[in-house]
Amino acid sequence: MRNTAILLVDCPDRKGIVATVADFLYSHGANILHADQHQDNEIQMFFTRIEWALDEFDLDEAAFREQFQPIADGFHMHWRLEYSSASMGVAIFVSRELHCLADLFYRHGAGELRCRLPLIISNHPDGRPLSEFHGIPFHHIPIDPAHKREAEDGQLRLLEDSGVSVIVLARYMQILSPEFVARYPGRIINVHHSFLPAFSGARPYHAAYQRGVKLIGATSHYVTDALDEGPIIEQDVTRVSHRCELEDLIEKGRDLERVVLSRAVRWHLEHRILCYANKTVVFD
Amino acid sequence: MRNTAILLVDCPDRKGIVATVADFLYSHGANILHADQHQDNEIQMFFTRIEWALDEFDLDEAAFREQFQPIADGFHMHWRLEYSSASMGVAIFVSRELHCLADLFYRHGAGELRCRLPLIISNHPDGRPLSEFHGIPFHHIPIDPAHKREAEDGQLRLLEDSGVSVIVLARYMQILSPEFVARYPGRIINVHHSFLPAFSGARPYHAAYQRGVKLIGATSHYVTDALDEGPIIEQDVTRVSHRCELEDLIEKGRDLERVVLSRAVRWHLEHRILCYANKTVVFD
Amino acid sequence: MRNTAILLVDCPDRKGIVATVADFLYSHGANILHADQHQDNEIQMFFTRIEWALDEFDLDEAAFREQFQPIADGFHMHWRLEYSSASMGVAIFVSRELHCLADLFYRHGAGELRCRLPLIISNHPDGRPLSEFHGIPFHHIPIDPAHKREAEDGQLRLLEDSGVSVIVLARYMQILSPEFVARYPGRIINVHHSFLPAFSGARPYHAAYQRGVKLIGATSHYVTDALDEGPIIEQDVTRVSHRCELEDLIEKGRDLERVVLSRAVRWHLEHRILCYANKTVVFD
Amino acid sequence: MRNTAILLVDCPDRKGIVATVADFLYSHGANILHADQHQDNEIQMFFTRIEWALDEFDLDEAAFREQFQPIADGFHMHWRLEYSSASMGVAIFVSRELHCLADLFYRHGAGELRCRLPLIISNHPDGRPLSEFHGIPFHHIPIDPAHKREAEDGQLRLLEDSGVSVIVLARYMQILSPEFVARYPGRIINVHHSFLPAFSGARPYHAAYQRGVKLIGATSHYVTDALDEGPIIEQDVTRVSHRCELEDLIEKGRDLERVVLSRAVRWHLEHRILCYANKTVVFD
């Protein structure tokens, strides 16, 4: 793995952005490995993601921030600088269904997800053996509706103590409070077991079964205060027929959930996602 | 093309249905070409579609009806007998978007859709040249909201005069009145340009674009009084990304619409669809 | 789980098969849960799979065999009777890539695969921790080309001692000898990491990368003496682009391999597959 | 439609390419609408496609060529400059199957394909009525194996007289001679009715049917001297089962062929494709 830096930018679209940023990077010895950009012509916004090798780059983080800021100001940019070497801490929240957790563990072990996994949090004890097999601390924090606040406080303490910067809800069947969500804006990734916006809310497979759809889906998205309405990161579907009973839908859906959640987590970890207007730009 | 008969049955599930029906057909010389069945274990219903060659079958339609009825009564069956040689009359309704119409014409010419096409009805004149090229009478019946009833009366007269038994709404952008729908129950097929139940109603591509979905879809369904809520026959989706502008969604969607509509029409013409509980069983 | 029996039949197509079999089952109290049939009109063959509840069925296995055989003889049937309660023993062979093994373990634990897993066999030690976590005996049998025969003899002894009736090659990177294959005809399931017949043989992802395909695939099939040419059970593909490096193809391919292999195993365990003419009929 | 220019570049990868090109364009008033780039890290090549609005761009074509050439030389670039206003002439070759031709006509009429269609060439008369309906001259040039050379000479004269720069083989069932292919290098697009490299050559649906595949595919590619081995532009597949007879495969395949061919033609017309190492980079 090469050490790289990643610059993510969004700003009003106008001439000269690419030339200016490319010049700046080139003048400091950046060897650009990937560059992707997007213009939203409807709202006149520009987005870019540039990744370069650090071998011959002559700015450290502090120097970059100091010297790039005037350019950013000139174009009214929002921007972030990330380093591939800075492994993010990811907490996985899970309830009783463990297929997404098992899948994330597998991909982490296979090197597909570059991050630390300092802890698993669950409102049920079911995930403990699997977590311990993978050597990840497992915290069982039951959620009693009457004391949800205290439970969330306990979760937040654990997250802070572990230096977590991303939370993955891997079929975690509790709704987070607005206060909790506000602590990790744009950094909580959920998988919903339907093709949103169809069948938002509870028991989507039951609803899909009743409606008689011919495809079922799954959606990964960032969590916001509006339930199941955050920016969509990835979706996928699979075919079903009248032969499928409810149980079949649930089983087929698991395969979708694993795929759409893991892709979202990976893209987030690789700094490939920009959010705007409740949508995502995914530079995959 | 071989001459075949098709028997469609639904009834409460119980022992002996298959044995009794198979015995009856066998005793009259039926050479079964296709047989498909389905049990819905949740509501204890049985469905079957049996197609047989008529070469050595010794019952004509009247005799079949007379002799099969006691069996049907014994099992409380709903049943239909269809003949592949009885070409149905199909009316296509269209507005200004002609891709589905052109596709249906092509498939009809290629032999994929076995039916008569006695007329095209449209609230716009755009489809006339294409219809006339294919030799199909085209009727331009503008819809003025103040006189919609009269327009529908005109449509109904044309349909009756032409012996139409199926109506295909090939991107027909008018809502049919409940009275109209009641005249062709389970015999009006619509294509909706979204993955229902997501984005029902008007301008689904606009809504999909605003929501930032990563897949767009199309749905063919039978028309009922509840807008976009009739039994779903077929659905398909295709991938989109942040790069797709609204216009791209519309263009990609056209390919989906053609496919899901033509499949539904074909299955209907081949008597492959049974409706129940606002769902479809498709014996494809 | 209800106790059911499954009858699988193939025979020359002619009139009366369905009526005769349905009569026989009905006369003995069978409550048919699923029935599927297929005619291959090209070679005039008939195939069926019938599953019924045993609650009120009045024949035990021996009586069934005795009383059904005359019917089978009359129609020149090949037939098998299976019981859902008879859990098959499955051996999984694996090498160093563990994603399919992990997936099969997960699905087994989730109840998707109804079978016993008496042992894992590998030519590498990598799968041991995972196997032991799931409580399945793991046998490391290195394959030295000069002593392959002895290694296979050791494998065969283990398989026999464990009462294995199905072998799943879950990315097992050794070619089985014809003698070995002959011991488990139609009972060894392999996953090949390409869309067969494209890219058969070694290193299919490398070949796909060189050829510049826009989709990559995976195939599960029964193993025969002809490498990668056995009857195909299931295939799936996923989209790739010029942006994908070889490593990306391999990672995307893993998801396909898991899905196509697990589907094949499941269908085999549920007695849904019939082979003929080097093809499969899958009654899914 | 805005008037735009498109610059396509490939060259050895090294630092400073993006900065230099972006600077050049910016200094001349280019308003960049789309920019995409790709590095092939295996062979150290860089590819880019940049599209900009011409409204405020201060170089005409001659001036651009003169002033950009020194930059191109410095980076050892291959490059092309295209204008969206320069509508290419496309000749469609067809035999007896007309679904791709009908589809291309539809898309052309709908504005999806921006080009001129000066002529249709066919070795059969079947496509004449459809071509004439769309107002496109149709030339019937039968191919007699003994006089293929003369037939091709006739074709070439027509192409030259019509100012054709792209040839689309829309199910044209004749093999072009190497001499013919050499006249339109990288400018002849074919659709092959299989998922290449599987089932190259004649009668791919028959071969797929015999092999018992579970998916069938179609491939669009540039024509080279090696039959069915040119750079792949697009591929797609659809699911089939044991229930599908050969005729079903052929019908399902038509839908794939239309889609993969029309995408390839569109991308070519929009200058989105770069070829190298017998592969394509598609900046879609």
Side-chain angles (χ1 to χ4, degrees), chain A residues 98-99 103 106-107 110 112 129-130 133 243 251 254-255 258 266 284, chain C residues 98-99 103 106-107 110 112 129-130 133 243 251 254-255 258 266 284:
Chain A
L98 303 181
H99 53 288
D103 185 65
Y106 173 74
R107 293 181 199 270
E112 292 183 29
L130 186 64
F133 171 66
R243 295 180 186 281
E251 285 183 9
R254 280 187 204 133
D255 283 347
R258 302 195 302 184
R266 181 173 186 165
D284 64 332
Chain C
L98 303 180
H99 52 289
D103 185 65
Y106 173 75
R107 292 182 199 269
E112 291 183 28
L130 186 64
F133 170 66
R243 295 179 184 283
E251 284 184 10
R254 279 186 205 134
D255 284 348
R258 302 195 301 184
R266 182 174 185 164
D284 65 332

mmCIF file of all heavy atoms in Angstrom, chain A residues 98-99 103 106-107 110 112 129-130 133 243 251 254-255 258 266 284, chain C residues 98-99 103 106-107 110 112 129-130 133 243 251 254-255 258 266 284:
data_model
loop_
_atom_site.group_PDB
_atom_site.id
_atom_site.type_symbol
_atom_site.label_atom_id
_atom_site.label_comp_id
_atom_site.label_asym_id
_atom_site.label_seq_id
_atom_site.Cartn_x
_atom_site.Cartn_y
_atom_site.Cartn_z
ATOM 1 N N LEU A 98 -26.873 -11.285 12.212
ATOM 2 C CA LEU A 98 -25.424 -11.113 12.203
ATOM 3 C C LEU A 98 -24.778 -11.198 10.821
ATOM 4 O O LEU A 98 -23.563 -11.166 10.693
ATOM 5 C CB LEU A 98 -24.790 -12.169 13.117
ATOM 6 C CG LEU A 98 -25.291 -12.170 14.570
ATOM 7 C CD1 LEU A 98 -24.566 -13.254 15.356
ATOM 8 C CD2 LEU A 98 -25.098 -10.817 15.230
ATOM 9 N N HIS A 99 -25.565 -11.317 9.764
ATOM 10 C CA HIS A 99 -24.946 -11.541 8.451
ATOM 11 C C HIS A 99 -24.100 -10.358 7.990
ATOM 12 O O HIS A 99 -23.050 -10.541 7.402
ATOM 13 C CB HIS A 99 -26.012 -11.881 7.397
ATOM 14 C CG HIS A 99 -27.129 -10.903 7.320
ATOM 15 N ND1 HIS A 99 -28.097 -10.802 8.282
ATOM 16 C CD2 HIS A 99 -27.438 -9.987 6.384
ATOM 17 C CE1 HIS A 99 -28.960 -9.854 7.930
ATOM 18 N NE2 HIS A 99 -28.574 -9.350 6.787
ATOM 19 N N ASP A 103 -20.048 -10.408 7.483
ATOM 20 C CA ASP A 103 -19.499 -9.986 6.194
ATOM 21 C C ASP A 103 -18.450 -8.892 6.375
ATOM 22 O O ASP A 103 -17.391 -8.922 5.739
ATOM 23 C CB ASP A 103 -20.648 -9.483 5.317
ATOM 24 C CG ASP A 103 -20.189 -9.141 3.926
ATOM 25 O OD1 ASP A 103 -19.766 -10.076 3.215
ATOM 26 O OD2 ASP A 103 -20.234 -7.967 3.542
ATOM 27 N N TYR A 106 -15.349 -10.444 7.604
ATOM 28 C CA TYR A 106 -14.615 -11.145 6.559
ATOM 29 C C TYR A 106 -13.843 -10.167 5.678
ATOM 30 O O TYR A 106 -12.653 -10.339 5.403
ATOM 31 C CB TYR A 106 -15.531 -12.008 5.680
ATOM 32 C CG TYR A 106 -14.717 -12.538 4.547
ATOM 33 C CD1 TYR A 106 -13.795 -13.559 4.760
ATOM 34 C CD2 TYR A 106 -14.756 -11.917 3.301
ATOM 35 C CE1 TYR A 106 -12.959 -13.990 3.758
ATOM 36 C CE2 TYR A 106 -13.916 -12.339 2.290
ATOM 37 C CZ TYR A 106 -13.022 -13.361 2.517
ATOM 38 O OH TYR A 106 -12.159 -13.761 1.529
ATOM 39 N N ARG A 107 -14.522 -9.105 5.253
ATOM 40 C CA ARG A 107 -13.868 -8.157 4.345
ATOM 41 C C ARG A 107 -12.724 -7.416 5.040
ATOM 42 O O ARG A 107 -11.717 -7.089 4.412
ATOM 43 C CB ARG A 107 -14.890 -7.155 3.805
ATOM 44 C CG ARG A 107 -15.909 -7.812 2.894
ATOM 45 C CD ARG A 107 -16.901 -6.790 2.336
ATOM 46 N NE ARG A 107 -18.081 -7.439 1.846
ATOM 47 C CZ ARG A 107 -18.247 -7.886 0.593
ATOM 48 N NH1 ARG A 107 -17.290 -7.736 -0.278
ATOM 49 N NH2 ARG A 107 -19.355 -8.487 0.230
ATOM 50 N N ALA A 110 -9.877 -9.694 4.946
ATOM 51 C CA ALA A 110 -9.357 -9.883 3.591
ATOM 52 C C ALA A 110 -8.682 -8.626 3.054
ATOM 53 O O ALA A 110 -8.172 -8.633 1.936
ATOM 54 C CB ALA A 110 -10.494 -10.291 2.653
ATOM 55 N N GLU A 112 -10.169 -5.737 2.415
ATOM 56 C CA GLU A 112 -11.019 -4.869 1.596
ATOM 57 C C GLU A 112 -11.396 -3.583 2.328
ATOM 58 O O GLU A 112 -11.715 -2.588 1.690
ATOM 59 C CB GLU A 112 -12.303 -5.610 1.174
ATOM 60 C CG GLU A 112 -12.065 -6.741 0.200
ATOM 61 C CD GLU A 112 -13.370 -7.404 -0.252
ATOM 62 O OE1 GLU A 112 -14.415 -6.723 -0.275
ATOM 63 O OE2 GLU A 112 -13.335 -8.602 -0.561
ATOM 64 N N PRO A 129 -19.925 -14.153 20.383
ATOM 65 C CA PRO A 129 -18.946 -15.176 19.973
ATOM 66 C C PRO A 129 -18.220 -14.806 18.681
ATOM 67 O O PRO A 129 -16.996 -14.938 18.588
ATOM 68 C CB PRO A 129 -19.801 -16.437 19.783
ATOM 69 C CG PRO A 129 -21.028 -16.207 20.612
ATOM 70 C CD PRO A 129 -21.270 -14.728 20.571
ATOM 71 N N LEU A 130 -18.953 -14.335 17.705
ATOM 72 C CA LEU A 130 -18.338 -13.971 16.431
ATOM 73 C C LEU A 130 -17.326 -12.844 16.620
ATOM 74 O O LEU A 130 -16.218 -12.875 16.074
ATOM 75 C CB LEU A 130 -19.435 -13.552 15.448
ATOM 76 C CG LEU A 130 -19.009 -13.266 14.017
ATOM 77 C CD1 LEU A 130 -18.464 -14.520 13.354
ATOM 78 C CD2 LEU A 130 -20.188 -12.716 13.211
ATOM 79 N N PHE A 133 -14.256 -14.176 18.354
ATOM 80 C CA PHE A 133 -13.437 -14.976 17.431
ATOM 81 C C PHE A 133 -12.529 -14.060 16.607
ATOM 82 O O PHE A 133 -11.373 -14.385 16.334
ATOM 83 C CB PHE A 133 -14.314 -15.805 16.503
ATOM 84 C CG PHE A 133 -13.553 -16.475 15.394
ATOM 85 C CD1 PHE A 133 -12.619 -17.472 15.664
ATOM 86 C CD2 PHE A 133 -13.747 -16.105 14.071
ATOM 87 C CE1 PHE A 133 -11.906 -18.093 14.644
ATOM 88 C CE2 PHE A 133 -13.035 -16.720 13.037
ATOM 89 C CZ PHE A 133 -12.110 -17.714 13.335
ATOM 90 N N ARG A 243 -43.477 -17.351 -6.277
ATOM 91 C CA ARG A 243 -43.073 -18.549 -5.545
ATOM 92 C C ARG A 243 -42.398 -18.220 -4.214
ATOM 93 O O ARG A 243 -42.259 -19.087 -3.354
ATOM 94 C CB ARG A 243 -42.079 -19.374 -6.369
ATOM 95 C CG ARG A 243 -42.690 -19.931 -7.634
ATOM 96 C CD ARG A 243 -41.678 -20.730 -8.424
ATOM 97 N NE ARG A 243 -42.261 -21.135 -9.683
ATOM 98 C CZ ARG A 243 -43.098 -22.160 -9.823
ATOM 99 N NH1 ARG A 243 -43.410 -22.902 -8.783
ATOM 100 N NH2 ARG A 243 -43.616 -22.439 -10.999
ATOM 101 N N GLU A 251 -34.348 -14.083 3.219
ATOM 102 C CA GLU A 251 -33.060 -14.710 2.931
ATOM 103 C C GLU A 251 -32.364 -14.085 1.729
ATOM 104 O O GLU A 251 -31.160 -13.848 1.752
ATOM 105 C CB GLU A 251 -33.243 -16.220 2.723
ATOM 106 C CG GLU A 251 -33.459 -16.951 4.020
ATOM 107 C CD GLU A 251 -33.562 -18.456 3.855
ATOM 108 O OE1 GLU A 251 -33.295 -18.961 2.753
ATOM 109 O OE2 GLU A 251 -33.904 -19.122 4.844
ATOM 110 N N ARG A 254 -30.861 -10.703 2.597
ATOM 111 C CA ARG A 254 -29.590 -10.671 3.342
ATOM 112 C C ARG A 254 -28.392 -10.489 2.428
ATOM 113 O O ARG A 254 -27.439 -9.786 2.761
ATOM 114 C CB ARG A 254 -29.413 -11.984 4.101
ATOM 115 C CG ARG A 254 -30.175 -12.067 5.384
ATOM 116 C CD ARG A 254 -29.767 -13.359 6.106
ATOM 117 N NE ARG A 254 -30.821 -13.771 7.005
ATOM 118 C CZ ARG A 254 -31.307 -15.002 7.096
ATOM 119 N NH1 ARG A 254 -30.809 -15.978 6.334
ATOM 120 N NH2 ARG A 254 -32.261 -15.274 7.934
ATOM 121 N N ASP A 255 -28.423 -11.172 1.296
ATOM 122 C CA ASP A 255 -27.298 -11.052 0.364
ATOM 123 C C ASP A 255 -27.166 -9.635 -0.173
ATOM 124 O O ASP A 255 -26.057 -9.127 -0.373
ATOM 125 C CB ASP A 255 -27.471 -12.028 -0.808
ATOM 126 C CG ASP A 255 -27.130 -13.454 -0.408
ATOM 127 O OD1 ASP A 255 -26.532 -13.643 0.667
ATOM 128 O OD2 ASP A 255 -27.446 -14.374 -1.174
ATOM 129 N N ARG A 258 -25.721 -7.263 2.720
ATOM 130 C CA ARG A 258 -24.274 -7.379 2.887
ATOM 131 C C ARG A 258 -23.522 -6.569 1.841
ATOM 132 O O ARG A 258 -22.549 -5.883 2.135
ATOM 133 C CB ARG A 258 -23.847 -8.850 2.763
ATOM 134 C CG ARG A 258 -24.504 -9.776 3.741
ATOM 135 C CD ARG A 258 -23.813 -11.116 3.841
ATOM 136 N NE ARG A 258 -23.742 -11.832 2.574
ATOM 137 C CZ ARG A 258 -23.251 -13.060 2.460
ATOM 138 N NH1 ARG A 258 -22.805 -13.696 3.548
ATOM 139 N NH2 ARG A 258 -23.189 -13.648 1.295
ATOM 140 N N ARG A 266 -16.869 0.796 2.532
ATOM 141 C CA ARG A 266 -15.587 0.892 1.834
ATOM 142 C C ARG A 266 -15.408 2.257 1.182
ATOM 143 O O ARG A 266 -14.344 2.874 1.299
ATOM 144 C CB ARG A 266 -15.519 -0.202 0.775
ATOM 145 C CG ARG A 266 -14.205 -0.167 0.040
ATOM 146 C CD ARG A 266 -14.080 -1.345 -0.886
ATOM 147 N NE ARG A 266 -12.753 -1.340 -1.462
ATOM 148 C CZ ARG A 266 -12.231 -2.377 -2.077
ATOM 149 N NH1 ARG A 266 -12.902 -3.509 -2.164
ATOM 150 N NH2 ARG A 266 -11.011 -2.312 -2.578
ATOM 151 N N ASP A 284 -16.381 6.362 -7.393
ATOM 152 C CA ASP A 284 -15.901 4.984 -7.255
ATOM 153 C C ASP A 284 -14.970 4.603 -8.405
ATOM 154 O O ASP A 284 -14.763 5.367 -9.319
ATOM 155 C CB ASP A 284 -17.084 4.013 -7.196
ATOM 156 C CG ASP A 284 -17.862 4.014 -8.480
ATOM 157 O OD1 ASP A 284 -17.860 5.053 -9.184
ATOM 158 O OD2 ASP A 284 -18.493 3.008 -8.790
ATOM 159 N N LEU C 98 -10.722 -18.056 1.582
ATOM 160 C CA LEU C 98 -11.700 -18.585 2.533
ATOM 161 C C LEU C 98 -13.087 -17.940 2.428
ATOM 162 O O LEU C 98 -13.969 -18.242 3.234
ATOM 163 C CB LEU C 98 -11.167 -18.406 3.956
ATOM 164 C CG LEU C 98 -9.810 -19.059 4.230
ATOM 165 C CD1 LEU C 98 -9.399 -18.809 5.679
ATOM 166 C CD2 LEU C 98 -9.818 -20.544 3.923
ATOM 167 N N HIS C 99 -13.300 -17.073 1.450
ATOM 168 C CA HIS C 99 -14.580 -16.348 1.437
ATOM 169 C C HIS C 99 -15.771 -17.281 1.223
ATOM 170 O O HIS C 99 -16.823 -17.091 1.829
ATOM 171 C CB HIS C 99 -14.566 -15.236 0.388
ATOM 172 C CG HIS C 99 -14.164 -15.671 -0.974
ATOM 173 N ND1 HIS C 99 -12.872 -16.024 -1.291
ATOM 174 C CD2 HIS C 99 -14.876 -15.816 -2.107
ATOM 175 C CE1 HIS C 99 -12.818 -16.362 -2.562
ATOM 176 N NE2 HIS C 99 -14.025 -16.256 -3.081
ATOM 177 N N ASP C 103 -18.728 -18.057 3.939
ATOM 178 C CA ASP C 103 -20.117 -17.841 3.531
ATOM 179 C C ASP C 103 -20.955 -19.092 3.771
ATOM 180 O O ASP C 103 -22.089 -18.997 4.259
ATOM 181 C CB ASP C 103 -20.144 -17.459 2.052
ATOM 182 C CG ASP C 103 -21.531 -17.102 1.590
ATOM 183 O OD1 ASP C 103 -22.053 -16.090 2.081
ATOM 184 O OD2 ASP C 103 -22.095 -17.837 0.767
ATOM 185 N N TYR C 106 -21.643 -19.353 7.387
ATOM 186 C CA TYR C 106 -22.680 -18.430 7.824
ATOM 187 C C TYR C 106 -24.071 -18.946 7.462
ATOM 188 O O TYR C 106 -24.990 -18.975 8.274
ATOM 189 C CB TYR C 106 -22.485 -17.013 7.257
ATOM 190 C CG TYR C 106 -23.687 -16.206 7.626
ATOM 191 C CD1 TYR C 106 -23.851 -15.761 8.932
ATOM 192 C CD2 TYR C 106 -24.728 -16.034 6.721
ATOM 193 C CE1 TYR C 106 -24.999 -15.121 9.323
ATOM 194 C CE2 TYR C 106 -25.895 -15.390 7.105
ATOM 195 C CZ TYR C 106 -26.019 -14.935 8.415
ATOM 196 O OH TYR C 106 -27.169 -14.331 8.803
ATOM 197 N N ARG C 107 -24.223 -19.378 6.227
ATOM 198 C CA ARG C 107 -25.553 -19.808 5.775
ATOM 199 C C ARG C 107 -25.994 -21.087 6.505
ATOM 200 O O ARG C 107 -27.179 -21.281 6.763
ATOM 201 C CB ARG C 107 -25.544 -20.046 4.271
ATOM 202 C CG ARG C 107 -25.367 -18.762 3.478
ATOM 203 C CD ARG C 107 -25.402 -19.016 1.977
ATOM 204 N NE ARG C 107 -24.810 -17.911 1.258
ATOM 205 C CZ ARG C 107 -25.484 -16.849 0.812
ATOM 206 N NH1 ARG C 107 -26.777 -16.766 1.011
ATOM 207 N NH2 ARG C 107 -24.870 -15.876 0.169
ATOM 208 N N ALA C 110 -27.271 -19.990 9.735
ATOM 209 C CA ALA C 110 -28.532 -19.259 9.622
ATOM 210 C C ALA C 110 -29.681 -20.156 9.194
ATOM 211 O O ALA C 110 -30.819 -19.690 9.066
ATOM 212 C CB ALA C 110 -28.376 -18.115 8.620
ATOM 213 N N GLU C 112 -29.962 -21.706 6.273
ATOM 214 C CA GLU C 112 -30.241 -21.720 4.835
ATOM 215 C C GLU C 112 -29.815 -23.034 4.185
ATOM 216 O O GLU C 112 -30.352 -23.402 3.140
ATOM 217 C CB GLU C 112 -29.526 -20.561 4.136
ATOM 218 C CG GLU C 112 -30.078 -19.199 4.489
ATOM 219 C CD GLU C 112 -29.382 -18.080 3.720
ATOM 220 O OE1 GLU C 112 -28.898 -18.307 2.607
ATOM 221 O OE2 GLU C 112 -29.304 -16.963 4.276
ATOM 222 N N PRO C 129 -8.547 -22.028 11.720
ATOM 223 C CA PRO C 129 -9.190 -21.269 12.803
ATOM 224 C C PRO C 129 -10.692 -21.055 12.560
ATOM 225 O O PRO C 129 -11.504 -21.231 13.466
ATOM 226 C CB PRO C 129 -8.430 -19.936 12.791
ATOM 227 C CG PRO C 129 -7.116 -20.243 12.153
ATOM 228 C CD PRO C 129 -7.383 -21.325 11.151
ATOM 229 N N LEU C 130 -11.038 -20.724 11.356
ATOM 230 C CA LEU C 130 -12.442 -20.491 11.035
ATOM 231 C C LEU C 130 -13.266 -21.764 11.234
ATOM 232 O O LEU C 130 -14.361 -21.742 11.808
ATOM 233 C CB LEU C 130 -12.560 -20.006 9.585
ATOM 234 C CG LEU C 130 -13.935 -19.567 9.111
ATOM 235 C CD1 LEU C 130 -14.424 -18.347 9.884
ATOM 236 C CD2 LEU C 130 -13.899 -19.248 7.612
ATOM 237 N N PHE C 133 -13.663 -22.454 14.922
ATOM 238 C CA PHE C 133 -14.627 -21.547 15.540
ATOM 239 C C PHE C 133 -16.045 -22.071 15.329
ATOM 240 O O PHE C 133 -16.890 -21.985 16.215
ATOM 241 C CB PHE C 133 -14.496 -20.140 14.949
ATOM 242 C CG PHE C 133 -15.611 -19.215 15.368
ATOM 243 C CD1 PHE C 133 -15.746 -18.827 16.697
ATOM 244 C CD2 PHE C 133 -16.530 -18.744 14.446
ATOM 245 C CE1 PHE C 133 -16.774 -17.976 17.091
ATOM 246 C CE2 PHE C 133 -17.555 -17.900 14.834
ATOM 247 C CZ PHE C 133 -17.690 -17.510 16.163
ATOM 248 N N ARG C 243 -11.683 1.166 -15.172
ATOM 249 C CA ARG C 243 -11.082 1.620 -13.916
ATOM 250 C C ARG C 243 -10.646 0.459 -13.020
ATOM 251 O O ARG C 243 -9.871 0.645 -12.086
ATOM 252 C CB ARG C 243 -12.088 2.462 -13.124
ATOM 253 C CG ARG C 243 -12.446 3.744 -13.808
ATOM 254 C CD ARG C 243 -13.469 4.529 -13.009
ATOM 255 N NE ARG C 243 -13.864 5.708 -13.747
ATOM 256 C CZ ARG C 243 -13.129 6.800 -13.854
ATOM 257 N NH1 ARG C 243 -11.963 6.879 -13.218
ATOM 258 N NH2 ARG C 243 -13.547 7.823 -14.573
ATOM 259 N N GLU C 251 -11.608 -8.995 -6.228
ATOM 260 C CA GLU C 251 -12.480 -8.689 -5.091
ATOM 261 C C GLU C 251 -13.951 -8.720 -5.461
ATOM 262 O O GLU C 251 -14.777 -9.251 -4.717
ATOM 263 C CB GLU C 251 -12.104 -7.324 -4.502
ATOM 264 C CG GLU C 251 -10.833 -7.388 -3.684
ATOM 265 C CD GLU C 251 -10.477 -6.077 -3.016
ATOM 266 O OE1 GLU C 251 -11.305 -5.148 -3.022
ATOM 267 O OE2 GLU C 251 -9.368 -5.998 -2.486
ATOM 268 N N ARG C 254 -15.215 -12.291 -5.818
ATOM 269 C CA ARG C 254 -15.491 -13.058 -4.593
ATOM 270 C C ARG C 254 -16.968 -13.032 -4.232
ATOM 271 O O ARG C 254 -17.528 -14.023 -3.790
ATOM 272 C CB ARG C 254 -14.696 -12.469 -3.424
ATOM 273 C CG ARG C 254 -13.267 -12.897 -3.369
ATOM 274 C CD ARG C 254 -12.657 -12.359 -2.067
ATOM 275 N NE ARG C 254 -11.225 -12.229 -2.214
ATOM 276 C CZ ARG C 254 -10.524 -11.166 -1.838
ATOM 277 N NH1 ARG C 254 -11.124 -10.138 -1.269
ATOM 278 N NH2 ARG C 254 -9.230 -11.155 -2.024
ATOM 279 N N ASP C 255 -17.576 -11.858 -4.391
ATOM 280 C CA ASP C 255 -19.005 -11.757 -4.059
ATOM 281 C C ASP C 255 -19.847 -12.637 -4.973
ATOM 282 O O ASP C 255 -20.843 -13.230 -4.541
ATOM 283 C CB ASP C 255 -19.474 -10.301 -4.166
ATOM 284 C CG ASP C 255 -19.018 -9.473 -2.980
ATOM 285 O OD1 ASP C 255 -18.556 -10.068 -1.986
ATOM 286 O OD2 ASP C 255 -19.105 -8.244 -3.043
ATOM 287 N N ARG C 258 -19.354 -16.480 -3.948
ATOM 288 C CA ARG C 258 -20.131 -16.865 -2.769
ATOM 289 C C ARG C 258 -21.576 -17.146 -3.134
ATOM 290 O O ARG C 258 -22.179 -18.120 -2.673
ATOM 291 C CB ARG C 258 -20.102 -15.742 -1.719
ATOM 292 C CG ARG C 258 -18.724 -15.352 -1.268
ATOM 293 C CD ARG C 258 -18.731 -14.522 -0.004
ATOM 294 N NE ARG C 258 -19.496 -13.281 -0.123
ATOM 295 C CZ ARG C 258 -19.564 -12.381 0.844
ATOM 296 N NH1 ARG C 258 -18.924 -12.603 1.988
ATOM 297 N NH2 ARG C 258 -20.257 -11.286 0.680
ATOM 298 N N ARG C 266 -27.344 -25.197 -2.022
ATOM 299 C CA ARG C 266 -28.695 -25.236 -1.463
ATOM 300 C C ARG C 266 -29.646 -26.024 -2.359
ATOM 301 O O ARG C 266 -30.422 -26.855 -1.885
ATOM 302 C CB ARG C 266 -29.206 -23.811 -1.282
ATOM 303 C CG ARG C 266 -30.572 -23.791 -0.678
ATOM 304 C CD ARG C 266 -31.015 -22.390 -0.377
ATOM 305 N NE ARG C 266 -32.280 -22.414 0.319
ATOM 306 C CZ ARG C 266 -32.780 -21.392 0.986
ATOM 307 N NH1 ARG C 266 -32.109 -20.264 1.054
ATOM 308 N NH2 ARG C 266 -33.943 -21.495 1.598
ATOM 309 N N ASP C 284 -36.302 -24.397 -9.063
ATOM 310 C CA ASP C 284 -36.148 -23.497 -7.906
ATOM 311 C C ASP C 284 -37.456 -22.802 -7.552
ATOM 312 O O ASP C 284 -38.436 -22.955 -8.235
ATOM 313 C CB ASP C 284 -35.066 -22.450 -8.194
ATOM 314 C CG ASP C 284 -35.463 -21.540 -9.328
ATOM 315 O OD1 ASP C 284 -36.226 -21.965 -10.210
ATOM 316 O OD2 ASP C 284 -35.006 -20.389 -9.340
#
